Amino acid sequence: MSAGIPVRWVLAQPELGLVLKGGAAGLAREITLALTSELTEPQQWLSGGELVLTTGMGLPLSRADRRRYLADLDSVGVACVGFGVGLSHETVPEDLVEAADELGLPLFEVPLPTPFGAIAKKVMQRLAEQEYEKVLRASRAQPRMTRAAVQGSKAVIKELSGVLSATVALLGADGALAESHPGRPSADVAERLSEFLAGRGEGAASGVIATRPGEYIAVQAITAGHTVHGHLAVVTTTPLSSVDQVLLGHASSLLAVDFEKPVRLRIAQNHLNTQAMAMLLAENADLDLVWQHLAPAADRSGRIRVLVLRCESADTVALAAAAVDDRLRASNRQLFAHADGNRLAVLLPGSDTEESAERLLTDLPDQARATTRAGLSAPHPVRRFATAIEHAELAASAAPPGSGPLDLAALAGSALLTFPETRRALGAVSEAMLQPLADYDERHSTDLIASLRAYLEAHGQWETAATTLGIHRHTLRSRIAKIESLLGCRLDAARVRAELLLALIAHG
């Protein structure tokens, strides 16, 4: 995934009021940092990817020196230059614009009312959002890869290829290609891999191979103890990020476990595979038999609920499963449970209540119970137990540690701000959307944010909102017009009103 944000994204933020003056050919350049510099030769302290903001105080006087100023920035990989007008210069110098066009280095005008800090903040917020998106992507991909491991190495490679948007190849201990997805690597890549592995001898070989521009090969050894089972190779257009490397390492670990399966486990796996093939090849195969196996978990109407426990460790999961099983056995009920990492999902009859679910945890040791989050789904048909697990998982993520099972339905009206992921996302959106209003209120001692809240909560009713604020409706109309001007939007659009209301809710 990209490590920065395109220059065109920054220019597209209406509240900043930025105007491209030159260097349009470089709008795809990526920004990784925003900073201010009034130095005559700032390139000495830059390393590439920067958005350099300047008022031109240190700008050379001659045309030749100004061109060299931009050329030096371009030579170290600066992404773009923002030129603040209204202080040292009333406009962006034309010769600077011409030089930017020649170099393909984006040069944009920053109007006087726009603080450099607002631009830097917008850039850093977006970079933080992207980093969070990468972590979230990895957190979702790892369980999928773990589940895929049950189906074998081919399924793991497919999942890794999909999440990295890359070609992934599995090489055996002898260096021969065993599996690849979505297709075979090119002849050039295969040759470079052979050279790389040959240069490392028979031991583990991990590293990055730089081939032609825009192509990278990351190699990860698949090892268990001193045994090298093979290598994973990932072919990408950009170097792997730290999050991508974690996913590559996770896939390597899963494959190492797969290679190290005990013989008896492999025999059992083969037996299951044979049975699966027999079912699929049988003329009268009936998968309803599998669903019937879950029937005892449901109530008389065929509904189930799911209790999900998010535990501190796999050991706590084992303790929780044993505690629940003891309680169910005392009631002559079967245990239908699925453990996945630090999560335990238990199927219960749809008629079970929060209180009966809480009683199942009575025998869980106090220390383990104090760190366990419990979530309970609404009743679902038994064939939708996977959906019920997802709902219970959401409830568990919002439940306080050590509390009783949280019913997902109890979160109605507050769900968006309950889950950490959506709360962080809404917080970032709120800050980005409402910052122009907050800045204006601070500079002019106005109350635009409160006016916007009253207007939206009154569903756009002028009289109701004005009465709430204690002002005349014409005064409110004037404030709403100013809000529309600052935000660059129209409040007569339902989608805009909805997004702004969410931002205000997150704002508090």
Side-chain angles (χ1 to χ4, degrees):
M1 289 185 67
S2 170
I5 57 177
V7 175
R8 60 168 55 91
W9 182 89
V10 178
L11 293 171
Q13 306 310 301
E15 65 273 20
L16 298 178
L18 308 178
V19 179
L20 181 68
K21 305 301 287 186
L27 290 179
R29 295 189 185 200
E30 293 191 342
I31 301 168
T32 57
L33 178 66
L35 54 84
T36 299
S37 176
E38 302 297 348
L39 298 175
T40 304
E41 298 180 346
Q43 75 280 357
Q44 301 179 56
W45 291 272
L46 304 178
S47 58
E50 294 89 356
L51 185 168
V52 177
L53 297 164
T54 180
T55 62
M57 291 175 60
L59 195 66
L61 298 178
S62 71
R63 292 173 61 93
D65 287 342
R66 286 179 176 179
R67 190 192 186 287
R68 185 165 55 251
Y69 170 83
L70 280 187
D72 287 343
L73 292 179
D74 183 57
S75 68
V76 296
V78 165
C80 59
V81 177
F83 198 99
V85 298
L87 294 174
S88 301
H89 297 77
E90 289 301 319
T91 60
V92 180
E94 284 300 322
D95 53 12
L96 210 61
V97 173
E98 293 173 5
D101 282 329
E102 292 174 11
L103 296 167
L105 176 63
L107 172 67
F108 57 82
E109 179 183 281
V110 181
L112 184 60
T114 300
F116 282 180
I119 301 173
K121 186 175 184 179
K122 176 71 71 172
V123 168
M124 301 315 292
Q125 281 178 341
R126 180 55 188 153
L127 289 171
E129 289 170 3
Q130 288 189 167
E131 193 62 29
Y132 172 70
E133 289 165 4
K134 291 179 184 178
V135 175
L136 186 60
R137 177 172 60 95
S139 69
R140 291 171 174 169
Q142 284 183 309
R144 291 200 306 270
M145 291 168 61
T146 303
R147 290 191 294 270
V150 176
Q151 304 172 39
S153 59
K154 189 172 184 178
V156 173
I157 290 169
K158 182 178 179 181
E159 285 291 342
L160 182 63
S161 173
V163 73
L164 296 183
S165 300
T167 297
V168 178
L170 172 62
L171 308 175
D174 58 357
L177 180 66
E179 303 281 357
S180 63
H181 192 85
R184 294 179 65 88
S186 67
D188 287 345
V189 169
E191 182 178 355
R192 294 303 302 274
L193 279 171
S194 296
E195 294 173 356
F196 178 79
L197 296 177
R200 302 299 179 97
E202 297 182 358
S206 299
V208 178
I209 308 171
T211 56
R212 57 178 179 270
E215 183 178 75
Y216 299 83
I217 308 172
V219 182
Q220 175 70 48
I222 302 172
T223 61
H226 298 291
T227 304
V228 180
H229 292 290
H231 293 83
L232 263 181
V234 178
V235 185
T236 59
T237 56
T238 58
L240 294 182
S241 68
S242 58
V243 175
D244 295 335
Q245 291 170 9
V246 169
L247 291 174
L248 175 57
H250 184 62
S252 175
S253 299
L254 291 174
L255 292 173
V257 171
D258 187 64
F259 281 119
E260 287 284 311
K261 285 180 181 177
V263 174
R264 62 181 181 275
L265 180 59
R266 193 168 187 83
I267 292 173
Q269 181 70 62
N270 290 342
H271 181 62
L272 287 174
N273 293 343
T274 301
Q275 287 185 322
M277 290 182 65
M279 290 182 66
L280 293 173
L281 292 173
E283 293 183 3
N284 299 317
D286 185 5
L287 294 181
D288 283 343
L289 293 175
V290 180
W291 287 110
Q292 290 175 18
H293 188 71
L294 297 183
D299 61 14
R300 292 182 179 179
S301 62
R303 300 179 308 159
I304 52 91
R305 302 183 81 169
V306 172
L307 171 67
V308 162
L309 304 177
R310 296 184 64 170
C311 303
E312 188 176 37
S313 65
D315 290 340
T316 305
V317 169
L319 288 173
V324 171
D325 189 31
D326 287 344
R327 283 283 165 173
L328 290 175
R329 185 169 58 250
S331 303
N332 197 28
R333 291 166 57 180
Q334 298 181 40
L335 172 66
F336 292 85
H338 178 261
D340 183 5
N342 291 358
R343 186 198 74 179
L344 179 68
V346 182
L347 297 190
L348 303 175
S351 56
D352 271 16
T353 64
E354 294 174 51
E355 290 74 17
S356 59
E358 168 67 16
R359 284 195 294 272
L360 295 177
L361 306 178
T362 302
D363 298 331
L364 187 61
D366 292 342
Q367 185 175 357
R369 183 70 185 93
T371 60
T372 299
R373 302 173 184 268
L376 188 64
S377 76
H380 285 72
V382 68
R383 290 188 180 238
R384 295 193 63 206
F385 81 94
T387 300
I389 289 177
E390 292 179 4
H391 292 181
E393 172 74 18
L394 280 175
S397 68
S403 66
L406 178 62
D407 189 339
L408 186 62
L411 298 177
S414 62
L416 284 176
L417 293 179
T418 298
F419 305 119
E421 294 85 355
T422 53
R423 187 167 62 247
R424 282 193 291 268
L426 281 175
V429 170
S430 171
E431 189 171 3
M433 294 181 70
L434 300 180
Q435 193 60 45
L437 303 185
D439 291 343
Y440 188 92
D441 282 342
E442 183 176 353
R443 291 196 304 268
H444 299 89
S445 299
T446 53
D447 209 0
L448 295 184
I449 289 182
S451 300
L452 176 60
R453 184 188 297 274
Y455 175 76
L456 294 176
E457 291 181 347
H459 308 290
Q461 299 297 317
W462 298 104
E463 288 289 354
T464 303
T467 300
T468 300
L469 294 168
I471 59 177
H472 195 275
R473 66 177 183 278
H474 294 317
T475 302
L476 179 60
R477 287 182 184 273
S478 176
R479 291 184 183 180
I480 296 301
K482 172 57 71 175
I483 291 170
E484 291 179 327
S485 173
L486 290 172
L487 298 183
C489 65
R490 294 292 303 276
L491 293 184
D492 54 4
R495 187 185 184 94
V496 172
R497 293 198 302 273
E499 289 183 351
L500 286 173
L501 185 56
L502 282 174
L504 285 166
I505 291 173
H507 181 72

